[in-house]
Amino acid sequence: DGGITQSPKYLFRKEGQNVTLSCEQNLNHDAMYWYRQDPGQGLRLIYYSQIVNDFQKGDIAEGYSVSREKKESFPLTVTSAQKNPTAFYLCASSIDPNRDRRLAKYIQYFGAGTRLSVL
Amino acid sequence: RKEVEQDPGPFNVPEGATVAFNCTYSNSASQSFFWYRQDCRKEPKLLMSVYSSGNEDGRFTAQLNRASQYISLLIRDSKLSDSATYLCVVNTNTGNQFYFGTGTSLTVIP
């Protein structure tokens, strides 16, 4: 089945530690995204990538880093510089809107998420 | 001003009721509109896209009002299984950013 897989489902970080969240998709989507969701808040964009080897900062990129070496994979590293990392992290993908402007192609599909907590 | 704003609720309605949610957006260049459903501690899932002429999918009806810059979602004959948070999502089609509302919480009561 096609879809987006995030791992791990739960992750605990020690102070000063960097941790990496995995996101893999087999939908052949060009664009991938990372969001953070805090209780009672909407999704906030951390980073997005429209194509391999290219990515852009979102609204809250500080303390995070990403890479896009393969079309299928978009891992997110939460660095020690991120002082309040506890949140629900969601990865999403879509067809690149700049390539196909039909409405249905803008749909984002989400992975099941990773819950990150600080020890 | 936020890109997308929703009334967080909560909306508590009895089974069988009709309930409506509104969502306003600030960018008049916005072109794509969606409603997503998010269950507790789960990922958002697409409920329906919103088309200019309005569209219906079973008990769900979505409307777009470009002049007033809002979209709406109407749920008829509410079921217990409709209890969730409903997210409004907007995209300008000029970039890759999707803007999410904070969500409206719905609880359908037996």
Side-chain angles (χ1 to χ4, degrees):
Chain A
D1 288 330
I4 303 175
T5 302
Q6 287 187 243
S7 63
K9 189 171 182 179
Y10 299 97
L11 185 59
F12 297 91
R13 193 191 89 166
K14 295 179 181 178
E15 190 173 343
Q17 185 182 41
N18 292 353
V19 292
T20 297
L21 284 60
S22 170
C23 179
E24 303 278 333
Q25 54 99 359
N26 60 4
L27 299 167
N28 199 32
H29 283 169
D30 301 296
M32 297 186 74
Y33 313 79
W34 274 106
Y35 294 92
R36 167 180 174 144
Q37 188 176 35
D38 293 278
Q41 296 195 35
L43 276 67
R44 291 185 290 167
L45 183 65
I46 304 173
Y47 270 99
Y48 66 95
S49 168
Q50 294 178 251
I51 196 169
V52 173
N53 292 323
D54 185 56
F55 46 84
Q56 307 295 327
K57 291 182 179 180
D59 300 318
I60 55 166
E62 186 175 350
Y64 300 97
S65 65
V66 293
S67 63
R68 186 88 187 275
E69 297 177 0
K70 298 186 299 182
K71 186 175 184 178
E72 303 79 21
S73 178
F74 191 40
L76 173 74
T77 296
V78 184
T79 73
S80 57
Q82 173 48 248
K83 298 305 180 186
N84 184 24
T86 298
F88 186 37
Y89 289 86
L90 288 158
C91 179
S93 70
S94 73
I95 298 289
D96 181 359
N98 292 319
R99 181 185 293 189
D100 189 332
R101 295 187 174 277
R102 285 174 290 176
L103 176 65
K105 300 300 183 181
Y106 287 95
I107 296 169
Q108 284 194 322
Y109 297 89
F110 286 85
T114 293
R115 293 197 177 274
L116 176 61
S117 301
V118 177
L119 289 176
Chain B
R1 183 181 176 186
K2 290 183 180 179
E3 293 281 345
V4 178
E5 297 203 58
Q6 291 183 254
D7 179 350
F11 285 69
N12 299 314
V13 302
E15 261 187 300
T18 295
V19 61
F21 310 135
N22 279 348
C23 166
T24 59
Y25 59 94
S26 61
N27 189 338
S28 59
S30 299
Q31 293 293 326
S32 303
F33 308 90
F34 309 91
W35 284 102
Y36 276 73
R37 170 192 170 129
Q38 186 174 25
D39 292 293
C40 187
R41 302 179 70 82
K42 299 285 189 180
E43 75 274 23
K45 293 185 178 178
L46 179 71
L47 178 66
M48 57 197 303
S49 302
V50 186
Y51 299 106
S52 296
S53 56
N55 47 300
E56 186 174 305
D57 182 2
R59 298 182 293 108
F60 299 86
T61 300
Q63 296 280 350
L64 167 63
N65 185 316
R66 288 192 183 275
S68 301
Q69 294 184 204
Y70 75 84
I71 65 172
S72 63
L73 177 68
L74 181 78
I75 305 175
R76 290 181 298 277
D77 189 23
S78 298
K79 311 292 185 189
L80 296 177
S81 57
D82 294 334
S83 298
T85 296
Y86 291 83
L87 304 174
C88 167
V89 184
V90 174
N91 179 284
T92 62
N93 289 20
T94 58
N96 268 29
Q97 289 211 31
F98 292 76
Y99 296 97
F100 288 76
T102 54
T104 299
S105 173
L106 171 67
T107 300
V108 180
I109 304 164

